[in-house]
Amino acid sequence: MFLSFLPTESWMVLAVLGAALVGIGNSGEKVLSIRYMPDATTLMLWLAVSLIIYSVIFAILYPFDESVPGSHIIAIFGSGVMYGIAITILYRILRTTDASIIFSIFNTSPIFVAIFALLLLDQLLTFSQWGSIILVVLGIMILSREPSELNKKPKIYVVMALIICAGLAGLSQVASSYALTEVTPENGFWAQRIGALLPILFNLKRNSFGKFWDTVKQPRILIFVLLVEAVIMPLGHLSFLTAMKIGHSVALVSALFGTVPLWVFVISTVLSTGKLKILSENINPRRLFMKSIAITVTVLGIVGITLL
């Protein structure tokens, strides 16, 4: 396997490693969007370039084996498309709704994974495992909440759309788990990335290419964005797929990988303190206390998943 240098005998290590890498990558994207990118669509175009290049390279190096059933190939491509649709809807809702509400609802996706895995894959969980997943989701939901200056409650159709997004993300992971019984993580990596191009294509603007070229001509930005989009994020994606391939329950893998916001919070807080001040996150004691409670709840859920 491509990740043979990693501890591939432990799905738990790989799931947490994948979450940590994506958390680092998301924090890097936050720095890029605030300090170096003219707008969000320029960063999305960088992501699109990364998706296209990796998809082509991995499709050549790791083609599907002739023995792989067509149903599993459809499932892995479909998982990428479903996640792409979920993210596309999410981007559009972000324009009109408080981000903290959006991500609090979207981060319930591990519960949908557990439900769909039970219905479609007959993967049963014990009561203690269900409890651990709910603890992780609850902790992440608390962690995602932030005070809003908008003070507007989301409309019911927005809440329903977000629940559908979370459900699609969950169904995407279950489809991935089904496909990975026959395809390799490397197959899944490039197939899913093709599907993930959807949100990029729907959100690009006409002037995105000129702004993109301006960032290409600046070596500092070029190196930083390549580190994030061409190294850290792809490794996180591959770690997650490998964990799903060797893990016995997609719901438990999903719950551990769902701790990405925890890593984003920790890294963003570090980058906002001391002499760094790369970001300007709110680090007042009350907020940190509430986030500490959220982290404690999340960690208790993780401990439950790893020990039960």
Side-chain angles (χ1 to χ4, degrees), residues 249-267:
S249 168
V250 60
L252 299 181
V253 174
S254 174
L256 291 181
F257 187 74
T259 60
V260 169
L262 185 154
W263 297 98
V264 173
F265 166 71
V266 171
I267 295 164

Side-chain angles (χ1 to χ4, degrees), residues 120-181:
L120 301 176
L121 302 179
D122 293 325
Q123 291 186 1
L124 300 176
L125 296 174
T126 64
F127 284 112
S128 55
Q129 288 173 330
W130 271 104
S132 297
I133 290 174
I134 291 171
L135 275 179
V136 170
V137 171
L138 180 61
I140 294 304
M141 288 178 69
I142 297 172
L143 201 63
S144 301
R145 292 288 295 169
E146 295 287 354
S148 173
E149 297 178 358
L150 299 175
N151 198 26
K152 290 197 310 184
K153 293 183 178 179
K155 296 180 179 179
I156 186 64
Y157 67 84
V158 172
V159 174
M160 293 303 299
L162 289 169
I163 292 173
I164 291 171
C165 285
L168 278 173
L171 188 58
S172 167
Q173 293 187 30
V174 173
S176 300
S177 179
Y178 167 75
L180 285 166
T181 58

Side-chain angles (χ1 to χ4, degrees), residues 68-132:
V68 176
S71 58
H72 290 69
I73 294 176
I74 292 172
I76 197 64
F77 276 107
S79 68
V81 172
M82 283 187 285
Y83 194 77
I85 292 172
I87 296 300
T88 300
I89 297 171
L90 203 67
Y91 277 138
R92 297 199 178 272
I93 296 174
L94 268 171
R95 297 173 183 174
T96 58
T97 308
D98 182 27
S100 106
I101 294 173
I102 289 174
F103 290 111
S104 293
I105 297 174
F106 185 72
N107 287 329
T108 61
S109 60
I111 293 178
F112 287 97
V113 173
I115 294 171
F116 286 129
L118 174 63
L119 295 175
L120 301 176
L121 302 179
D122 293 325
Q123 291 186 1
L124 300 176
L125 296 174
T126 64
F127 284 112
S128 55
Q129 288 173 330
W130 271 104
S132 297

